[in-house]
Amino acid sequence: MKFKALVATILASALAISSTSAFAGKLEDIRERGYIKIGVSLGGEPIGFRDQKNNPAGYDVDLAKRLAEKLGVEARFTDVHGDARVSMLFSDQLDAVIGNMSATLERAKSVNFSIPYARAGLRIVHQKDQDINSLQDLAGKRVVVGRGSTGEAFLKREVPEAELVYTDNFAPDGVLLLRQGRVDAGIEDSSLIDYLATNNPNLVTLPGLHSNDPIAIGVRKGDAEYLRWMDMFVSDYINSGAYEASYHKWWGADANPPKLAGTW
């Protein structure tokens, strides 16, 4: 009987440890270590860039800092772009990506996404002296795209005759090509393209958007509690008025923030 009681005690202890381990997910790990590893894209204003003191700044960076503050931990940033955003989440080098990442069905096969904290659409920007008045006018033109981006996939499908010029980091590399006049046009999220054209007299945008993409926080699959917390965090960000305040801070007082649903 004593042996059976001992076995029962050991099994009960094992189950308790197992339950505790299962509950101790990403949220607990982050809070215990005291910092969160966040991937941001620091190549272009106003979404993400480095200020005069070389510190991360921009719309996404502000949101990332708010995330760390709500968790009560330090934010540690990694500048990350393109496909690396997904691979670094998968390898656990990052706890979250707040890097202007469109939440697509294809990416959702590998990454879990929060509810959207922003929205943007693909827009074309081109050199003012180029005769480009429609999407089809990009045929035969040198168009810079981010490798692995939604813009690349869109142009391959809609204008296969366009000559794609690839860059791993649209901002700053693609932006520099456009500013120097080394490409005829480019395609990226309107949030970046609109800001670029506004601040460069040689560049203009084509009217209209070619998508309506949700921009969301990306996290590694496998932790439903962590994802749920991210949804609640974004919901609070929108409903508190912080979303509109941040949008006006970076795009101007007269800007019209895209409508977002603060639900989870």
Side-chain angles (χ1 to χ4, degrees), residues 134-149:
S134 69
L135 187 63
Q136 297 309 315
D137 289 337
L138 295 178
K141 302 292 187 181
R142 288 171 52 83
V143 186
V144 63
V145 298
R147 193 183 306 275
S149 67

Side-chain angles (χ1 to χ4, degrees), residues 99-172:
N100 196 36
M101 184 159 60
S102 301
T104 66
L105 285 175
E106 186 62 30
R107 284 180 179 150
K109 295 175 182 177
S110 306
V111 176
N112 275 342
F113 288 103
S114 70
I115 64 174
Y117 69 84
R119 280 192 173 274
L122 291 175
R123 194 189 296 279
I124 305 294
V125 63
H126 65 88
Q127 305 293 341
K128 185 179 290 186
D129 59 4
Q130 288 290 321
D131 187 20
I132 298 175
N133 299 300
S134 69
L135 187 63
Q136 297 309 315
D137 289 337
L138 295 178
K141 302 292 187 181
R142 288 171 52 83
V143 186
V144 63
V145 298
R147 193 183 306 275
S149 67
T150 51
E152 175 194 357
F154 173 78
L155 282 185
K156 281 184 173 180
R157 181 178 69 250
E158 299 296 329
V159 195
E161 301 85 1
E163 181 183 344
L164 302 187
V165 178
Y166 290 97
T167 177
D168 289 329
N169 306 325
F170 189 93

